[in-house]
Amino acid sequence: MVVELISVGTEILLGNIVNTNAAYLSERCAELGLSMYYQGVVGDNAERLRDMIETAKSRADIIILGGGLGPTKDDLTKEIAAEAMGFQLVEDEHTKQRIRDYLETRGFEITENNWKQALVPEGGIVVDNENGTAPGIIMEKEGKHVILLPGPPNELKPMFENQIYPYLNALEPGIIYSKTVKVCGVGESKAETMISDLIDAQTNPTIATYAKTGEVHLRVTAKAEDEKEAKKLVKPMVKELKNRFGNHIYTTDTDITLEKSIIDLLKANELTVSTVESCTGGMLSARITDVPGASEVFKSGYVTYSNKSKRKLVGVKKSTLDKHGAVSSNVAKEMANGAAMFTKADVTVSITGIAGPDGGSEEKPVGLVYIACHVCGNTVVKEYHFKGNRSKIREATVSAALILMRECILEHCSNVMFGNH
């Protein structure tokens, strides 16, 4: 079946809010095996909203509208959608009582326009809102399914998860099963090229790629009569992805993050880690220590923002700083080696770079970063050139540091296993 998404709200068009609902709904519909070819955003305007619904009806089986279900006059989604589907609005006592209870228990004054939300399409399905006053609505007619959802994400997402997802799944009965293969150290374009033949030939299961900072997630989804059959369909595809990406895959568990996989790797090999950061200001150590149980392997985290702190805390030589500058492979190496000496950690990672927006030069532009990783006596230094604003450069740097750390640990463990010292 084909689904189309319409997000309603002038504030989205103006850029006042980020449309996170669209990303969420797109992902969940893909998991259901629904095809989405179009999605749109329309402001709080009756004529333009009516046109979008009519267009969507001509090319989709399911239309999901998010937003515009509030109590004010410019909230028009329900009225226009009901008109487009040929439904009359009537007051629903059940919804009216739920609105009254919701507002009174929270000490809010009930105004006359609140009852606008108690009007529902006669013959439609009312979906109770456990987190707000606007109910969801489902209208079915002549093979078309129009679903109205409240705009606030903390209302839309729980409603979709608990009530709309099962409804949509029942339209094409079966079990949806997904497995996520998480890849690091391979760019999105390269990852897609590596599996382009699988994407071109996909039917059931399907493969969807999701780019994260420093990572690519590959979601393999199958639909079958039962979970056992769905897992059977997914298994060979996941095996093929493992063959193609090898050690770049750090997990096939949706709940495992890159930093969690590294903590597990350190624990499994009885290794400890320390960090020393300059331009990232502690962001790397924060991601590591966000993982429950990190205290078993994490020893110390230094933020050596100034040259003085680099010398005093981790022993970087003044001559090295004078000759090569703070942002250099030489300083990154001495930072990592010094942290290893002072903290006695098996693994140390250092970062030094120019996050901007100021401080760059023709020789050393904004986005230049050096990352070093020391593992049991061996140190690797890599040079990176990141693009974007200060925040994006710092975020990309931390992801790159985690990936380098993982690569170096795996290399060390491989050498120990095969006796290559």
Side-chain angles (χ1 to χ4, degrees):
M1 299 182 79
V2 177
V3 60
E4 187 157 335
L5 173 62
I6 300 174
S7 301
V8 184
T10 303
E11 67 276 13
I12 303 174
L13 288 175
L14 295 176
N16 297 141
I17 63 171
V18 177
N19 192 3
T20 57
N21 287 342
Y24 163 77
L25 291 170
S26 299
E27 188 172 357
R28 296 300 275 149
C29 286
E31 289 178 12
L32 285 161
L34 300 171
S35 300
M36 184 180 293
Y37 305 128
Y38 298 94
Q39 46 177 271
V41 179
V42 62
D44 302 303
N45 177 278
E47 184 177 347
R48 289 191 284 271
L49 176 56
R50 186 182 294 108
D51 288 345
M52 287 199 76
I53 294 173
E54 291 296 341
T55 301
K57 282 174 62 182
S58 71
R59 60 194 182 192
D61 307 297
I62 303 163
I63 305 164
I64 302 175
L65 294 103
L69 299 183
T72 61
K73 290 181 180 180
D74 63 346
D75 290 307
L76 303 166
T77 300
K78 180 173 53 183
E79 289 77 4
I80 302 303
E83 177 187 314
M85 288 292 286
F87 284 74
Q88 295 292 321
L89 292 178
V90 297
E91 189 170 82
D92 179 51
E93 283 300 324
H94 169 75
T95 300
K96 190 172 184 178
Q97 186 59 50
R98 286 184 64 86
I99 293 170
R100 181 183 290 111
D101 292 343
Y102 183 91
L103 294 174
E104 288 181 346
T105 56
R106 288 161 176 77
F108 295 126
E109 179 185 355
I110 299 176
T111 56
E112 191 60 33
N113 62 357
N114 286 126
W115 305 131
K116 177 177 180 288
Q117 294 179 302
L119 295 174
V120 302
E122 188 174 20
I125 301 171
V126 178
V127 183
D128 289 339
N129 186 347
E130 302 297 337
N131 300 283
T133 55
I137 301 291
I138 299 172
M139 289 179 277
E140 302 171 330
K141 194 173 187 179
E142 299 174 352
K144 302 295 180 180
H145 307 264
V146 175
I147 300 169
L148 313 183
L149 299 171
N154 65 340
E155 298 179 32
L156 180 144
K157 291 181 181 180
M159 183 181 290
F160 189 89
E161 288 294 325
N162 298 327
Q163 297 169 88
I164 305 303
Y165 191 99
Y167 167 82
L168 292 173
N169 194 37
L171 295 179
E172 287 187 316
I175 292 294
I176 301 291
Y177 175 76
S178 294
K179 193 79 172 176
T180 299
V181 178
K182 297 185 180 182
V183 177
C184 67
V186 177
E188 181 185 15
S189 58
K190 182 178 179 180
E192 188 172 289
T193 300
M194 290 172 68
I195 59 170
S196 59
D197 59 317
L198 300 178
I199 293 174
D200 292 341
Q202 68 182 346
T203 51
N204 186 27
T206 59
I207 304 177
T209 61
Y210 304 93
K212 311 288 183 180
T213 302
E215 304 177 37
V216 178
H217 295 182
L218 310 171
R219 178 171 289 160
V220 182
T221 303
K223 189 164 189 175
E225 291 185 2
D226 55 48
E227 187 172 325
K228 183 179 179 181
E229 181 62 26
K231 286 182 176 180
K232 187 177 178 181
L233 290 169
V234 166
K235 188 175 180 179
M237 186 65 78
V238 172
K239 183 178 179 181
E240 180 60 24
L241 293 176
K242 288 181 177 179
N243 288 337
R244 297 191 184 196
F245 289 98
N247 278 342
H248 289 293
I249 296 173
Y250 69 85
T251 188
T252 57
D253 187 331
T254 304
D255 297 326
I256 299 294
T257 61
L258 177 57
E259 50 268 35
K260 173 69 166 65
S261 73
I262 293 171
I263 294 297
D264 291 342
L265 187 61
L266 290 165
K267 288 180 181 179
N269 291 280
E270 299 181 344
L271 299 172
T272 56
V273 63
S274 291
T275 60
V276 52
E277 306 173 61
S278 184
C279 65
T280 47
M283 291 171 63
L284 175 60
S285 62
R287 274 189 66 171
I288 293 172
T289 55
D290 274 346
V291 178
S295 58
E296 294 180 37
V297 296
F298 187 77
K299 297 193 79 170
S300 302
Y302 294 109
V303 176
T304 57
Y305 221 67
S306 67
N307 285 354
K308 184 177 180 180
S309 64
K310 289 178 178 65
R311 298 197 310 269
K312 184 177 180 180
L313 296 177
V314 290
V316 175
K317 297 173 185 175
K318 185 178 185 299
S319 58
T320 306
L321 288 163
D322 292 340
K323 183 177 180 180
H324 301 285
V327 181
S328 63
S329 60
N330 307 74
V331 168
K333 184 174 183 178
E334 289 191 15
M335 288 168 68
N337 290 345
M341 182 177 68
F342 284 110
T343 70
K344 308 302 181 186
D346 304 302
V347 180
T348 57
V349 182
S350 68
I351 296 170
T352 182
I354 306 168
D358 303 317
S361 65
E362 187 175 341
E363 183 184 354
K364 295 185 179 182
V366 170
L368 173 64
V369 175
Y370 291 94
I371 303 173
C373 183
H374 173 103
V375 182
C376 299
N378 294 315
T379 307
V380 172
V381 186
K382 286 193 176 183
E383 178 180 316
Y384 300 83
H385 293 266
F386 298 115
K387 303 294 184 182
N389 59 24
R390 181 178 178 84
S391 177
K392 286 189 175 296
I393 289 171
R394 280 154 56 97
E395 185 180 348
T397 298
V398 172
S399 293
L402 289 168
I403 293 167
L404 179 60
M405 187 195 318
R406 180 177 178 273
E407 290 173 351
C408 290
I409 295 169
L410 289 175
E411 178 70 20
H412 168 76
C413 294
S414 176
N415 288 336
V416 169
M417 182 181 296
F418 294 104
N420 301 321
H421 297 291

